[in-house]
Amino acid sequence: MREGPRSGCPINAAVEALGDRWSLIVLRDIVFGGRRHFRELLANSEEGIASNILSSRLKALVAGGLLTQEDAGRGHRATYSLTEAGIDTVPVMAVLGSWGLRHRETTPELRVRAQLMEDGGPALWADLMDELREIHLGVPRPHPERERASDRLREAYERAVAAEAAAAVH
Amino acid sequence: MREGPRSGCPINAAVEALGDRWSLIVLRDIVFGGRRHFRELLANSEEGIASNILSSRLKALVAGGLLTQEDAGRGHRATYSLTEAGIDTVPVMAVLGSWGLRHRETTPELRVRAQLMEDGGPALWADLMDELREIHLGVPRPHPERERASDRLREAYERAVAAEAAAAVH
C-alpha cells in the first residue's frame, strides 16, 4: 500500500479509491446485484472475475472504507456491507453507465439498468442510496411509501431479459 | 489489448475505458489544465506521473477514442485533442470530485475546482463541455455571451491559491 495520496486533488483521491478496472465492478454487483458474500460475487460475475482478484479488491475496498466485513465466525460466510462512502458511489456508477451507453457498444439487457438510472436522474439515485442505507447500515428509508428503487431496476431488467429471450426465439 | 469488452454492461464498458489509476488523471489535466502536449502533461503533473506511464495512457486514450493525436511532423510536438467521448467524461470527473471531497482528505487549493463543479452542477458542466468542443473540435460555443466555465474555474483556483499563500505567511 502507498503511504498517502499522490496529491490532494479530490478527483485523484476518488480515482485512487475507485479507479481500478475491477473495484467499481465489485461495488456495482453489491449495489445493483444485492450480493453480500464472496461466493455470490464470484459465481454470478458477468465479467468472470478471478477469485484472487475478487479477494484482493474486497480487501482494498474494506481498507479504503467503502465496505465493512462482518465475520460470522468459523465455517460461516463473511458478509460485506457498504459504508456511507460506498453508497455514495451510486452517482459515480450512474454517470459511468451513461458514458458507456453513449460511447460503447453494450448489450440490451445490461443497458436497461444504466438507462433507467440516467432517466431517473438524481432523484432515483437518492432513493436507491436511501434503500442501500436501510439494507447495509440499518437506517430506515425516509420514504417507505415509495416503490423501492431496486424493485424498479430489477423489474426493468427482467422485462428486458424477457424481451431478449422472446426476440431470440423468433 | 483485449479482444472485446468483458461484458456488455455500460458501467463495465466505461470502467474498461476509464477505470485506470492514471487515465482519468491525464484526462483531468487536459480538461481542467488545458494541456495538449506530452511535455506539459509530464512537467506539470501534480501526481508526478512517470514518462512511460503517461506515454502508455495517451496511447490507450487515443486507441479508445477519447483523444486524437495530431502529429505536427518531424521535430514538432504532437497535439492531443479531446473527442466527444473524451469531453463527455466531464460529468464523470465532476461526480468523482464530489466523492473525493466528501470521503477523502484533500488540499484546499485542489478542492476548490471540485467544489465549484459540484456547486455549478450540470449547467456548469454543460458550459465547460461546450467550451471544450470549441477548443478541441472547433465547434463554436452556443452561448458565447456567457463567461467561460474555464475562466470561472481558474479564477476560483487562483483565489484559493492566494488565500493559501496568505494563510501560510501568517
Short mmCIF file of all heavy atoms in Angstrom, two decimals, chain A residues 12-55:
data_model
loop_
_atom_site.label_atom_id
_atom_site.label_comp_id
_atom_site.label_asym_id
_atom_site.label_seq_id
_atom_site.Cartn_x
_atom_site.Cartn_y
_atom_site.Cartn_z
N ASN A 12 -8.26 12.96 -8.01
CA ASN A 12 -7.22 11.95 -7.79
C ASN A 12 -7.57 11.04 -6.62
O ASN A 12 -7.40 9.82 -6.69
CB ASN A 12 -5.87 12.62 -7.55
CG ASN A 12 -4.79 11.59 -7.28
OD1 ASN A 12 -4.43 10.81 -8.16
ND2 ASN A 12 -4.32 11.54 -6.04
N ALA A 13 -8.07 11.64 -5.54
CA ALA A 13 -8.42 10.84 -4.35
C ALA A 13 -9.47 9.79 -4.70
O ALA A 13 -9.38 8.64 -4.26
CB ALA A 13 -8.93 11.76 -3.24
N ALA A 14 -10.46 10.19 -5.50
CA ALA A 14 -11.52 9.25 -5.88
C ALA A 14 -10.96 8.17 -6.81
O ALA A 14 -11.30 6.99 -6.67
CB ALA A 14 -12.66 9.99 -6.55
N VAL A 15 -10.11 8.58 -7.74
CA VAL A 15 -9.54 7.62 -8.67
C VAL A 15 -8.64 6.63 -7.93
O VAL A 15 -8.62 5.43 -8.24
CB VAL A 15 -8.76 8.35 -9.79
CG1 VAL A 15 -7.87 7.40 -10.56
CG2 VAL A 15 -9.74 9.04 -10.73
N GLU A 16 -7.93 7.10 -6.91
CA GLU A 16 -7.10 6.18 -6.13
C GLU A 16 -7.95 5.14 -5.40
O GLU A 16 -7.55 3.99 -5.25
CB GLU A 16 -6.23 6.94 -5.12
CG GLU A 16 -5.11 7.71 -5.82
CD GLU A 16 -3.97 8.06 -4.87
OE1 GLU A 16 -3.73 7.34 -3.88
OE2 GLU A 16 -3.30 9.07 -5.14
N ALA A 17 -9.15 5.55 -4.97
CA ALA A 17 -10.02 4.62 -4.25
C ALA A 17 -10.80 3.72 -5.21
O ALA A 17 -11.08 2.57 -4.90
CB ALA A 17 -10.99 5.39 -3.37
N LEU A 18 -11.16 4.25 -6.36
CA LEU A 18 -12.12 3.57 -7.23
C LEU A 18 -11.59 3.25 -8.61
O LEU A 18 -12.19 2.48 -9.34
CB LEU A 18 -13.35 4.47 -7.43
CG LEU A 18 -14.06 4.93 -6.17
CD1 LEU A 18 -15.00 6.07 -6.48
CD2 LEU A 18 -14.80 3.77 -5.55
N GLY A 19 -10.47 3.88 -8.99
CA GLY A 19 -10.04 3.84 -10.38
C GLY A 19 -9.23 2.60 -10.70
O GLY A 19 -8.06 2.68 -11.03
N ASP A 20 -9.89 1.52 -10.61
CA ASP A 20 -9.25 0.25 -10.88
C ASP A 20 -10.24 -0.51 -11.73
O ASP A 20 -11.45 -0.35 -11.58
CB ASP A 20 -9.01 -0.44 -9.53
CG ASP A 20 -8.84 -1.91 -9.65
OD1 ASP A 20 -9.86 -2.63 -9.60
OD2 ASP A 20 -7.70 -2.36 -9.80
N ARG A 21 -9.76 -1.34 -12.64
CA ARG A 21 -10.65 -1.99 -13.59
C ARG A 21 -11.62 -2.95 -12.92
O ARG A 21 -12.58 -3.39 -13.55
CB ARG A 21 -9.84 -2.71 -14.67
CG ARG A 21 -9.13 -1.74 -15.63
CD ARG A 21 -8.06 -2.43 -16.45
NE ARG A 21 -8.60 -3.43 -17.34
CZ ARG A 21 -9.00 -3.17 -18.60
NH1 ARG A 21 -8.93 -1.96 -19.08
NH2 ARG A 21 -9.47 -4.13 -19.35
N TRP A 22 -11.42 -3.27 -11.66
CA TRP A 22 -12.33 -4.22 -11.01
C TRP A 22 -13.08 -3.67 -9.81
O TRP A 22 -14.17 -4.14 -9.48
CB TRP A 22 -11.56 -5.49 -10.60
CG TRP A 22 -11.17 -6.34 -11.77
CD1 TRP A 22 -9.91 -6.45 -12.30
CD2 TRP A 22 -12.03 -7.16 -12.57
NE1 TRP A 22 -9.94 -7.30 -13.38
CE2 TRP A 22 -11.22 -7.76 -13.57
CE3 TRP A 22 -13.39 -7.46 -12.54
CZ2 TRP A 22 -11.74 -8.63 -14.53
CZ3 TRP A 22 -13.90 -8.34 -13.50
CH2 TRP A 22 -13.08 -8.90 -14.48
N SER A 23 -12.52 -2.68 -9.11
CA SER A 23 -13.15 -2.23 -7.87
C SER A 23 -14.59 -1.78 -8.07
O SER A 23 -15.49 -2.14 -7.30
CB SER A 23 -12.35 -1.08 -7.25
OG SER A 23 -11.06 -1.53 -6.91
N LEU A 24 -14.81 -0.96 -9.11
CA LEU A 24 -16.16 -0.46 -9.32
C LEU A 24 -17.12 -1.55 -9.79
O LEU A 24 -18.32 -1.48 -9.56
CB LEU A 24 -16.16 0.70 -10.34
CG LEU A 24 -15.93 2.08 -9.72
CD1 LEU A 24 -15.60 3.10 -10.79
CD2 LEU A 24 -17.18 2.52 -8.96
N ILE A 25 -16.56 -2.57 -10.44
CA ILE A 25 -17.39 -3.71 -10.88
C ILE A 25 -17.86 -4.51 -9.67
O ILE A 25 -19.01 -4.94 -9.61
CB ILE A 25 -16.56 -4.59 -11.87
CG1 ILE A 25 -16.23 -3.78 -13.14
CG2 ILE A 25 -17.26 -5.89 -12.20
CD1 ILE A 25 -17.43 -3.25 -13.88
N VAL A 26 -16.96 -4.67 -8.69
CA VAL A 26 -17.35 -5.35 -7.45
C VAL A 26 -18.41 -4.54 -6.73
O VAL A 26 -19.45 -5.07 -6.29
CB VAL A 26 -16.11 -5.59 -6.56
CG1 VAL A 26 -16.53 -6.15 -5.19
CG2 VAL A 26 -15.12 -6.55 -7.24
N LEU A 27 -18.20 -3.23 -6.62
CA LEU A 27 -19.20 -2.36 -5.98
C LEU A 27 -20.53 -2.40 -6.74
O LEU A 27 -21.60 -2.44 -6.13
CB LEU A 27 -18.70 -0.91 -5.91
CG LEU A 27 -17.65 -0.61 -4.84
CD1 LEU A 27 -17.12 0.80 -5.02
CD2 LEU A 27 -18.24 -0.78 -3.44
N ARG A 28 -20.46 -2.38 -8.07
CA ARG A 28 -21.69 -2.46 -8.88
C ARG A 28 -22.49 -3.70 -8.53
O ARG A 28 -23.72 -3.64 -8.37
CB ARG A 28 -21.31 -2.49 -10.38
CG ARG A 28 -22.50 -2.55 -11.32
CD ARG A 28 -22.09 -3.13 -12.67
NE ARG A 28 -21.60 -4.51 -12.51
CZ ARG A 28 -21.01 -5.21 -13.46
NH1 ARG A 28 -20.80 -4.68 -14.64
NH2 ARG A 28 -20.62 -6.45 -13.22
N ASP A 29 -21.81 -4.84 -8.40
CA ASP A 29 -22.53 -6.09 -8.12
C ASP A 29 -23.13 -6.10 -6.71
O ASP A 29 -24.14 -6.76 -6.48
CB ASP A 29 -21.60 -7.30 -8.32
CG ASP A 29 -21.34 -7.55 -9.80
OD1 ASP A 29 -22.03 -6.94 -10.65
OD2 ASP A 29 -20.44 -8.36 -10.12
N ILE A 30 -22.49 -5.38 -5.78
CA ILE A 30 -23.06 -5.27 -4.44
C ILE A 30 -24.26 -4.31 -4.46
O ILE A 30 -25.31 -4.60 -3.91
CB ILE A 30 -21.98 -4.80 -3.43
CG1 ILE A 30 -20.87 -5.87 -3.33
CG2 ILE A 30 -22.59 -4.52 -2.06
CD1 ILE A 30 -19.66 -5.45 -2.50
N VAL A 31 -24.09 -3.17 -5.14
CA VAL A 31 -25.15 -2.14 -5.18
C VAL A 31 -26.37 -2.63 -5.97
O VAL A 31 -27.50 -2.55 -5.50
CB VAL A 31 -24.61 -0.82 -5.78
CG1 VAL A 31 -25.74 0.12 -6.18
CG2 VAL A 31 -23.67 -0.14 -4.79
N PHE A 32 -26.14 -3.09 -7.20
CA PHE A 32 -27.27 -3.41 -8.07
C PHE A 32 -27.65 -4.89 -8.02
O PHE A 32 -28.77 -5.26 -8.37
CB PHE A 32 -26.96 -3.03 -9.52
CG PHE A 32 -26.80 -1.55 -9.72
CD1 PHE A 32 -25.55 -0.98 -9.86
CD2 PHE A 32 -27.91 -0.72 -9.74
CE1 PHE A 32 -25.39 0.38 -10.03
CE2 PHE A 32 -27.77 0.65 -9.91
CZ PHE A 32 -26.51 1.21 -10.05
N GLY A 33 -26.72 -5.73 -7.63
CA GLY A 33 -26.99 -7.16 -7.61
C GLY A 33 -27.36 -7.69 -6.24
O GLY A 33 -27.73 -8.85 -6.10
N GLY A 34 -27.24 -6.83 -5.23
CA GLY A 34 -27.59 -7.25 -3.88
C GLY A 34 -26.70 -8.36 -3.33
O GLY A 34 -27.09 -9.08 -2.41
N ARG A 35 -25.50 -8.52 -3.88
CA ARG A 35 -24.62 -9.61 -3.42
C ARG A 35 -23.81 -9.16 -2.22
O ARG A 35 -23.28 -8.07 -2.22
CB ARG A 35 -23.71 -10.05 -4.58
CG ARG A 35 -24.55 -10.49 -5.78
CD ARG A 35 -23.76 -10.82 -7.01
NE ARG A 35 -24.67 -10.80 -8.17
CZ ARG A 35 -24.32 -10.56 -9.42
NH1 ARG A 35 -23.05 -10.33 -9.72
NH2 ARG A 35 -25.20 -10.54 -10.38
N ARG A 36 -23.73 -10.03 -1.22
CA ARG A 36 -23.06 -9.65 0.03
C ARG A 36 -21.95 -10.63 0.39
O ARG A 36 -21.25 -10.41 1.37
CB ARG A 36 -24.08 -9.63 1.19
CG ARG A 36 -25.35 -8.82 0.95
CD ARG A 36 -25.11 -7.34 1.08
NE ARG A 36 -24.67 -6.98 2.42
CZ ARG A 36 -25.50 -6.67 3.43
NH1 ARG A 36 -26.80 -6.69 3.24
NH2 ARG A 36 -25.02 -6.32 4.61
N HIS A 37 -21.83 -11.73 -0.36
CA HIS A 37 -20.89 -12.78 0.02
C HIS A 37 -19.92 -13.07 -1.11
O HIS A 37 -20.27 -12.95 -2.29
CB HIS A 37 -21.66 -14.06 0.37
CG HIS A 37 -22.66 -13.86 1.45
ND1 HIS A 37 -22.30 -13.63 2.76
CD2 HIS A 37 -24.02 -13.79 1.42
CE1 HIS A 37 -23.39 -13.46 3.49
NE2 HIS A 37 -24.45 -13.55 2.71
N PHE A 38 -18.73 -13.48 -0.74
CA PHE A 38 -17.68 -13.77 -1.69
C PHE A 38 -18.15 -14.72 -2.80
O PHE A 38 -17.96 -14.45 -3.99
CB PHE A 38 -16.48 -14.38 -0.94
CG PHE A 38 -15.28 -14.58 -1.81
CD1 PHE A 38 -14.34 -13.58 -1.96
CD2 PHE A 38 -15.08 -15.79 -2.48
CE1 PHE A 38 -13.22 -13.77 -2.77
CE2 PHE A 38 -13.98 -15.98 -3.29
CZ PHE A 38 -13.05 -14.98 -3.42
N ARG A 39 -18.78 -15.82 -2.42
CA ARG A 39 -19.15 -16.84 -3.41
C ARG A 39 -20.17 -16.33 -4.43
O ARG A 39 -20.10 -16.66 -5.61
CB ARG A 39 -19.69 -18.10 -2.73
CG ARG A 39 -18.57 -18.94 -2.20
CD ARG A 39 -19.02 -20.24 -1.58
NE ARG A 39 -17.84 -20.87 -1.01
CZ ARG A 39 -16.92 -21.52 -1.72
NH1 ARG A 39 -17.04 -21.65 -3.02
NH2 ARG A 39 -15.87 -22.04 -1.12
N GLU A 40 -21.14 -15.54 -3.93
CA GLU A 40 -22.12 -14.94 -4.85
C GLU A 40 -21.44 -14.01 -5.84
O GLU A 40 -21.77 -13.99 -7.02
CB GLU A 40 -23.11 -14.05 -4.09
CG GLU A 40 -24.07 -14.69 -3.17
CD GLU A 40 -24.86 -13.60 -2.45
OE1 GLU A 40 -24.26 -12.79 -1.69
OE2 GLU A 40 -26.08 -13.55 -2.65
N LEU A 41 -20.54 -13.18 -5.31
CA LEU A 41 -19.85 -12.21 -6.17
C LEU A 41 -19.02 -12.94 -7.22
O LEU A 41 -18.93 -12.50 -8.37
CB LEU A 41 -18.95 -11.30 -5.32
CG LEU A 41 -19.71 -10.24 -4.49
CD1 LEU A 41 -18.83 -9.71 -3.36
CD2 LEU A 41 -20.18 -9.10 -5.38
N LEU A 42 -18.43 -14.05 -6.83
CA LEU A 42 -17.59 -14.82 -7.75
C LEU A 42 -18.44 -15.57 -8.78
O LEU A 42 -18.21 -15.47 -9.98
CB LEU A 42 -16.74 -15.82 -6.94
CG LEU A 42 -15.71 -16.61 -7.73
CD1 LEU A 42 -14.61 -15.70 -8.27
CD2 LEU A 42 -15.09 -17.70 -6.84
N ALA A 43 -19.47 -16.27 -8.30
CA ALA A 43 -20.23 -17.17 -9.18
C ALA A 43 -21.09 -16.40 -10.18
O ALA A 43 -21.30 -16.87 -11.31
CB ALA A 43 -21.11 -18.09 -8.33
N ASN A 44 -21.59 -15.24 -9.78
CA ASN A 44 -22.52 -14.52 -10.65
C ASN A 44 -21.86 -13.42 -11.45
O ASN A 44 -22.54 -12.62 -12.09
CB ASN A 44 -23.66 -13.93 -9.80
CG ASN A 44 -24.42 -15.01 -9.05
OD1 ASN A 44 -24.64 -16.10 -9.57
ND2 ASN A 44 -24.79 -14.72 -7.82
N SER A 45 -20.54 -13.34 -11.42
CA SER A 45 -19.86 -12.24 -12.10
C SER A 45 -20.08 -12.29 -13.61
O SER A 45 -19.69 -13.25 -14.28
CB SER A 45 -18.36 -12.28 -11.79
OG SER A 45 -17.69 -11.36 -12.63
N GLU A 46 -20.68 -11.25 -14.11
CA GLU A 46 -20.91 -11.10 -15.56
C GLU A 46 -19.58 -11.04 -16.32
O GLU A 46 -19.49 -11.45 -17.47
CB GLU A 46 -21.67 -9.77 -15.72
CG GLU A 46 -22.47 -9.54 -16.96
CD GLU A 46 -23.62 -10.50 -17.16
OE1 GLU A 46 -24.55 -10.58 -16.30
OE2 GLU A 46 -23.59 -11.17 -18.19
N GLU A 47 -18.55 -10.52 -15.67
CA GLU A 47 -17.25 -10.34 -16.32
C GLU A 47 -16.28 -11.46 -16.00
O GLU A 47 -15.11 -11.41 -16.42
CB GLU A 47 -16.64 -8.99 -15.92
CG GLU A 47 -17.33 -7.78 -16.55
CD GLU A 47 -18.62 -7.39 -15.82
OE1 GLU A 47 -18.77 -7.80 -14.64
OE2 GLU A 47 -19.46 -6.70 -16.41
N GLY A 48 -16.72 -12.45 -15.23
CA GLY A 48 -15.86 -13.57 -14.90
C GLY A 48 -14.65 -13.19 -14.08
O GLY A 48 -13.52 -13.57 -14.38
N ILE A 49 -14.90 -12.43 -13.00
CA ILE A 49 -13.77 -12.01 -12.14
C ILE A 49 -13.08 -13.25 -11.57
O ILE A 49 -13.74 -14.23 -11.21
CB ILE A 49 -14.27 -11.05 -11.03
CG1 ILE A 49 -13.09 -10.36 -10.35
CG2 ILE A 49 -15.15 -11.77 -10.01
CD1 ILE A 49 -13.50 -9.20 -9.43
N ALA A 50 -11.76 -13.19 -11.49
CA ALA A 50 -10.99 -14.30 -10.92
C ALA A 50 -11.04 -14.22 -9.40
O ALA A 50 -11.12 -13.13 -8.83
CB ALA A 50 -9.55 -14.25 -11.41
N SER A 51 -10.97 -15.37 -8.77
CA SER A 51 -11.08 -15.49 -7.32
C SER A 51 -10.04 -14.62 -6.59
O SER A 51 -10.36 -13.92 -5.62
CB SER A 51 -10.94 -16.96 -6.96
OG SER A 51 -10.77 -17.13 -5.60
N ASN A 52 -8.79 -14.66 -7.07
CA ASN A 52 -7.75 -13.88 -6.37
C ASN A 52 -7.94 -12.37 -6.57
O ASN A 52 -7.65 -11.58 -5.67
CB ASN A 52 -6.35 -14.31 -6.84
CG ASN A 52 -6.13 -14.09 -8.33
OD1 ASN A 52 -7.08 -14.19 -9.12
ND2 ASN A 52 -4.90 -13.78 -8.71
N ILE A 53 -8.47 -11.97 -7.72
CA ILE A 53 -8.71 -10.54 -7.94
C ILE A 53 -9.87 -10.07 -7.07
O ILE A 53 -9.80 -9.03 -6.42
CB ILE A 53 -8.99 -10.25 -9.44
CG1 ILE A 53 -7.71 -10.50 -10.26
CG2 ILE A 53 -9.49 -8.83 -9.65
CD1 ILE A 53 -7.87 -10.29 -11.74
N LEU A 54 -10.94 -10.86 -7.02
CA LEU A 54 -12.07 -10.51 -6.16
C LEU A 54 -11.62 -10.37 -4.72
O LEU A 54 -11.96 -9.40 -4.03
CB LEU A 54 -13.17 -11.58 -6.29
CG LEU A 54 -14.37 -11.42 -5.36
CD1 LEU A 54 -15.08 -10.08 -5.56
CD2 LEU A 54 -15.37 -12.56 -5.56
N SER A 55 -10.83 -11.32 -4.27
CA SER A 55 -10.34 -11.29 -2.90
C SER A 55 -9.52 -10.03 -2.62
O SER A 55 -9.72 -9.35 -1.61
CB SER A 55 -9.51 -12.56 -2.66
OG SER A 55 -8.93 -12.53 -1.39
#
